[in-house]
Amino acid sequence: MKLAYWMYAGPAHIGTLRIASSFKNVHAIMHAPLGDDYFNVMRSMLERERDFTPVTASVVDRNVLARGSQDKVVNNITRKDAEEHPDLIVLTPTCTSSILQEDLANFVSRAQLEANCDVLLADVNHYRVNELQAADRTLEQIVRYYLEKAQKKGELPQNKTEKPSVNILGISSLGFHNQHDATELKRLMADLGIEVNAVVPHGASVHELKNLPRAWFNLVPYRELGTMAANYLKTEFEMPFVNITPMGVVDTARCIREIGKLLNQLGVETDFEEYIDNQTRFVSQAAWFSRSIDCQNLTGKKAVVFGDNTHAAAMTKILSREMGIHVVLAGTYCKYDADWFREQVSEYCDEVLISDDNAAIGDAIARLEPAAIFGTQMERHVGKRLDIPCGVIAAPIHIQNFPVGYKPFLGYEGANQVVDLIYNSFTLGMEDHLLEIFGGHDTKEAITKSVSAESDLSWSKDGLSQLNKIPGFVRGKVKRNTEKFARDRGIDTITAEVLYAAKEAVGA
Amino acid sequence: MTVAARPDALNFECETGNYHTFCPISCVAWLYQKIEDSFFLVIGTKTCGYFLQNAMGVMIFAEPRYAMAELEEGDISAQLNDYEELKRLCLQIKRDRNPSVIVWIGTCTTEIIKMDLEGLAPKLEAEIGIPIVTARANGLDYAFTQGEDTVLAAMAQRCPTEAPVSAIADGEKEERHGLRRFLDFGRHKDSQEDGGGQTVESEYIDHPPLVLFGSLPDPVATQLTLELKKQGIKVSGWLPSRHYTELPVLAEGSYVCGVNPFLSRTATTLMRRRKCKLIGAPFPIGPDGTRAWVEKICSVFGIEPKGLDEREQTIWNSVEEYAALLRGKSIFLMGDNLLEISLARFFVRCGATVQEIGIPYMDKRYQKAELDFLTKTCDEMGVPYPRIVEKPDNYNQIQRIRQQNPDLVITGMAHANPLEARGITTKWSVEFTFAQIHGFTNARDLLELATRPLRRNNNLKDLGWDKLVKEDAPV
């Protein structure tokens, strides 16, 4: 047993449902007790989905506990088949069905005999995998199922598309800015003269899956979702894939170069260097921003990054490599894929944290006192408590992170968006200076943070008045630093002199 | 069944139970805030935790007094010892939070693996010195607000049978009340008087002790207490009270009355285990419900209620602009929180027609007075009886909604946006659970909630984009 207040990645069935509900005309039936269909609320609220979420429950109640599901699951599958005529029904196990150990595979094969649609049992175990791993698996499972089916029927298209083409794998519902990213990636492919053969799973029909091998290669933009499917396609159909996340100017260029290299190997003469150069220097604003004097003010400022593998790694590299920001800590909650993360970020940050315990991250942030945090909604709340601004870069997220406006994180427009996010998270440079020079917004009110309540130190009148001249957003930090300084030296009354001595000692 | 089919009686049906509702563990979200010295430990899986953290939104960031005891594979396969594991976590809670009570919420998983929480609790309680209350609020047996019912039923067992025996303890209790009264000073002046000096006591009519059950926000509890005080009825206590240490005295023969329609287990426990007498009344939701509730309690104590007529009328007058919006409208309640019968009765009184009342579970005995009141209200307002559907099937309901095209659908969030996109006005039902809707005072809030979508859509009605899905696709 584990005492837990919060979790970063959801339970396995959420991953399966995200994949199933991303496809067109695929229905998921959860083998779950009443109330476990909370996924529908999330999809309906967070994504402001206009259509009914194609997820229903085959309810596990006392009767099921006593006698087993018997015909209930099969009936629910055939009923849904008759009502909505989906192409595929995915039977989704939950934590409850994991321990009931009912023969769900048997239900699936029985239902398959009666239903017109295909029926699959999601191959996920609640106690072994989390939301992200389950999503990756389910996507691979569905892709594999339809390719094997087409193969058996001899319906597999034999040749590649005429022009170079790509499948984009891993765009899913409830994914962080996924739909904007998909648009941006399609635009990028168009710029490169590459046709998009398929985007999977978002908005795809399972009937299109047999066409996946027609593409020349696969692009897997996110580390967490799509890798298994890409590996399967590579093994079975010798399709190469590119899995460099095109986030930030440098990695976008790396991703494009990798695509170029692939196409060259496949016998197409391409040279994307001019495109990259033109985009980087003149079209996208991100490279220019990092040279501009605004960005100078960010030099050496401390930041903490935390999130999923994809976004935390990319963000760490952008901050450190493209903006000269000092990343004191980079972390991920993808413990199952920790080695990859370490390898990606270790040269760009002081410290790496692999944990899914939100208190550990909160404590690290409190200890490091960065000028800004880039994390999930949880870190945003830690930031609020500590008075540190936070830009949200990864799930878990809430409704604010499903903006209506166009806000990709990937590609060249994504790089622009990330610049805005970073710049707006740090306190504006000039404002910072001016407030420091003029002693804050308004010194009439002596706002002291409650931190002082537990302090054993007393502040002299002039010390306090100096402290109050310090802009609000750094005051708490200065106060803590000064008190630490005083305590270390056995000073019991803090005067203005002590305050400044501390400032000099810390070099802040 | 022939009786049910008679047109002059309410018609009850039962469907498949395939409907959307919140898991009953959600009750921790409001109960931990109500019972200030409690700690709620939900013993379940990631699925439970995920639900709580998402459904309860920002609340979880305010250092909540609740947590998950997340079961791992070793717990499921009994490689780990339940008792030792729970002891470890509860000691950690004791150390970090030092609560007066730890409430264990059993979940589907603890049911299936048959973890004997009721058996473990007394042992651990003795060992760590903190009361442990066990409630099985799981999705196998219950829906949403019924979670509170399971917790309160368990707490009812912990209420003292008589005021502390020793004079010292008695004085202590008085003192604590005294201190609270002091702390509450200025907040609700009226309430301080109760239990005070002789002069105040005489304001009450002599009647057997009355304890109200149901968790309400403190201001609402105070309002209802004062409403009864106006009739000379003294509320001896509330289950739950603001602190676990102040659970009300329940002596044999005490009277109890519920304030919410989903408290049937609590009512049963109070009657059978604590030998209390249940006052079966309509629930104090809406001015009509509040009046009927007060009247019923008065009648049990042989009191002639005073001034209720004017009181109710004044409230109706003051909310006329809102009530007018509901007049002549048709309403469909999909059902997810058991407040449905009371809400429907109130809507009918406002002048609406209710087409269907979906409800997760219908206790016809506990809700008898409310059901009778619904029938009476329909008769008085001259509208047909609504069809009452227990354990509804959301898919079928949506087909019916499309046929009947109601002016307002009260529904969960899973269906709200898709229905709105199809031009059907909806009100999210969960808000009725969290908003203050009880008593005369909150009638305005209740109507404010119910009419908000109508007012919003009135504002937008000339824009011409009320249907926002392309094809009328089958749902």
Side-chain angles (χ1 to χ4, degrees), chain B residues 372-384:
Chain B
D372 291 345
F373 195 29
L374 171 67
T375 322
K376 187 170 152 244
T377 306
C378 287
D379 291 340
E380 283 174 12
M381 300 302 290
V383 296

Side-chain angles (χ1 to χ4, degrees), chain A residues 24-38:
Chain A
K24 244 189 329 213
N25 215 23
V26 170
H27 201 99
I29 294 187
M30 301 166 69
H31 189 238
L34 199 65
D36 274 4
D37 60 351
Y38 189 72

Side-chain angles (χ1 to χ4, degrees), chain A residues 2 6 51 62 79 128, chain B residues 60 73 111 141 393 422:
Chain A
K2 200 170 91 178
W6 215 75
D51 282 317
R62 280 285 154 188
R79 176 185 163 187
R128 304 275 165 89
Chain B
I60 55 165
E73 203 162 11
E111 286 296 311
D141 302 307
D393 185 301
R422 284 160 182 77

Side-chain angles (χ1 to χ4, degrees), chain A residues 100 107 117 125 196 209 222 269 278 314 317 357 409 431 434:
Chain A
L100 283 178
F107 295 153
C117 65
N125 178 331
V196 175
L209 292 178
Y222 310 114
E269 281 288 310
N278 191 47
K317 288 189 256 180
D357 173 10
F409 269 62
E431 193 184 350
L434 291 173

Side-chain angles (χ1 to χ4, degrees), chain A residues 1-14 18 27 30 32-53 55-65 72 76 79-80 82-85 94-101 125-131 174 356 358 377-382 384-385 396-399, chain B residues 16-24 39 41 43 45-51 53-56 58 60-73 75-76 80-82 85-86 88-89 92-93 96-97 108-109 111-115 136 138-143 360 391 393-396 398 402 412-419 421-422 468-469 473-475:
Chain A
M1 266 181 227
K2 200 170 91 178
L3 194 65
Y5 294 88
W6 215 75
M7 70 182 77
Y8 284 98
H13 69 268
I14 298 290
R18 277 177 53 188
H27 201 99
M30 301 166 69
L34 199 65
D36 274 4
D37 60 351
Y38 189 72
F39 177 80
N40 297 32
V41 175
M42 291 184 58
R43 188 154 179 276
S44 176
M45 290 306 289
L46 296 179
E47 298 209 311
R48 283 178 216 91
E49 187 50 62
R50 300 175 200 215
D51 282 317
F52 292 96
T53 301
V55 174
T56 43
S58 175
V59 178
V60 175
D61 56 14
R62 280 285 154 188
N63 288 330
V64 171
L65 232 51
K72 196 172 186 181
N76 278 322
R79 176 185 163 187
K80 202 40 77 182
E83 282 169 356
E84 302 198 6
H85 314 293
T94 58
C95 59
T96 310
S97 55
S98 281
I99 36 178
L100 283 178
Q101 299 190 326
N125 178 331
H126 175 89
Y127 294 94
R128 304 275 165 89
V129 293
N130 68 16
E131 168 188 353
L174 291 174
D356 55 5
N358 65 290
Q377 279 296 336
M378 188 71 216
E379 283 68 48
R380 193 172 73 86
H381 284 269
V382 171
K384 262 188 181 170
R385 214 178 305 161
I397 39 186
H398 65 44
I399 196 147
Chain B
T16 63
N18 218 323
Y19 62 100
H20 165 75
T21 183
F22 273 14
C23 175
F39 191 99
L41 184 67
I43 304 162
T45 60
K46 254 186 187 313
T47 307
C48 314
Y50 195 67
F51 164 71
Q53 103 179 23
N54 284 299
M56 298 313 138
V58 296
I60 55 165
F61 297 110
E63 307 235 334
R65 278 172 286 106
Y66 75 74
M68 292 294 306
E70 196 182 311
L71 300 168
E72 290 163 306
E73 203 162 11
D75 298 302
I76 303 301
L80 299 168
N81 181 310
D82 296 339
E85 291 295 299
L86 285 167
R88 185 170 55 82
L89 301 194
Q92 192 180 333
I93 291 164
D96 298 346
R97 306 294 175 94
C108 304
T109 309
E111 286 296 311
I112 296 169
I113 64 173
K114 303 205 180 343
M115 194 184 275
R136 304 179 174 198
N138 62 68
L140 294 168
D141 302 307
Y142 304 109
K391 297 174 82 178
D393 185 301
N394 280 168
Y395 182 86
N396 297 343
I398 285 164
R402 293 163 88 89
M413 277 205 292
H415 298 108
N417 268 338
L419 285 172
R422 284 160 182 77
L468 292 148
V469 277
V475 284

Side-chain angles (χ1 to χ4, degrees), chain B residues 398-439:
Chain B
I398 285 164
Q399 308 307 315
R400 293 198 286 273
I401 286 172
R402 293 163 88 89
Q403 277 164 16
Q404 299 170 15
N405 199 25
D407 295 314
L408 179 65
V409 176
I410 314 282
T411 181
M413 277 205 292
H415 298 108
N417 268 338
L419 285 172
E420 288 281 354
R422 284 160 182 77
I424 292 168
T425 306
T426 62
K427 177 71 225 153
W428 177 40
S429 56
V430 175
E431 282 191 86
F432 291 107
T433 323
F434 294 123
Q436 308 191 345
I437 62 169
H438 291 74

